[in-house]
Amino acid sequence: MQFFIDTAEIAVLRELVPTGMVDGVTTNPTLIAKSGRKMSEVIAEICALVPGSVSAEVVGADAEVMIKEGEYLAAIAPNVTVKVPLTWEGLKATRALSDKGLTTNVTLCFSAAQALLAAKAGATYVSPFVGRLDDHGADGIDLLSDIRAIYDQFGYDTKILAASVRNAAHVRAAAIAGADCATIPPATFKDLIKHPLTDKGLEAFMSDWAKTGQSIL
Ligand code: E4P
């Protein structure tokens, strides 16, 4: 399973990239706004830091504008993935951008029918929003399972990118449901390693080792 980090903060990525676990990055207009920086500069810096897919989202309302924005964003670096909203205009733009050989991520997916449309439009990735669906009283993980079954049944190669992930339990469940990737907020990424028994076990090993008076090197 690929791990993407859901952030537009360069300092955070500098901290996480050395783990060797950062396969890509996703941004959205909210995250860019939070960074307080110019989008093209932030995306260029992220792309230089992370060799994998870096999603940069278009903001135009119609396909023609989205295509132009997508081409502009894709020209920033070869690893830019153009993120497009799941609207009819967005799907038209996805088809056009995919036909031009660009990588696309269809975002704001909340139903299996929408995910089917994204695949038919030639999307490289589809982003089902797990946490926001849960907030809405639905089951975001069930949606991932449904999309997995549909894509496998028809042989679509669009990758399922679990988004709006809120906790380690979401990451676990997304992996079991067959998501190809998850985009994870930095704090949740750090939480993935936590287990009290690991801490307790290590403490005991270190204490017993100290009693031996040995050193390995
Ligand atoms: C990523 O592609 C999405 O924009 C992001 O995961 C949304 O997460 P949120 O629901 O926590 O804002």
Side-chain angles (χ1 to χ4, degrees), residues 101-125:
L102 299 179
T103 306
T104 53
N105 173 3
V106 173
T107 189
L108 291 166
C109 174
F110 292 94
S111 76
Q114 289 179 325
L116 191 47
L117 294 176
K120 286 180 74 66
T124 316
Y125 299 95

Side-chain angles (χ1 to χ4, degrees), residues 39-40 43 56-58 68-77 80 82:
M39 180 176 184
S40 53
I43 296 297
E57 190 161 339
V58 299
K68 282 189 186 137
E69 290 174 344
E71 286 173 328
Y72 175 86
L73 293 169
I76 294 174
V80 166
V82 182

Side-chain angles (χ1 to χ4, degrees), residues 6 26-28 83 105 107 127 129 132 163-166 183:
D6 201 23
T26 53
T27 66
N28 61 37
K83 205 172 175 192
N105 173 3
T107 189
S127 289
F129 275 36
R132 291 194 198 185
S164 190
V165 161
R166 299 276 163 78
T183 186

Side-chain angles (χ1 to χ4, degrees), residues 4 24 48 60 64 118 132 138 147:
F4 292 4
E64 206 180 320
R132 291 194 198 185
I147 299 172

Side-chain angles (χ1 to χ4, degrees), residues 35-120:
S35 79
R37 301 188 54 210
K38 189 171 159 56
M39 180 176 184
S40 53
E41 287 173 12
V42 180
I43 296 297
E45 278 183 46
I46 297 175
C47 288
L49 209 57
V50 179
S53 164
V54 175
S55 283
E57 190 161 339
V58 299
V59 293
D62 60 71
E64 206 180 320
V65 177
M66 289 185 207
I67 293 165
K68 282 189 186 137
E69 290 174 344
E71 286 173 328
Y72 175 86
L73 293 169
I76 294 174
N79 53 328
V80 166
T81 291
V82 182
K83 205 172 175 192
V84 179
L86 216 159
T87 60
W88 287 117
E89 292 301 303
L91 293 174
K92 279 192 249 171
T94 300
R95 169 48 64 202
L97 293 165
S98 296
D99 286 349
K100 288 173 196 277
L102 299 179
T103 306
T104 53
N105 173 3
V106 173
T107 189
L108 291 166
C109 174
F110 292 94
S111 76
Q114 289 179 325
L116 191 47
L117 294 176
K120 286 180 74 66

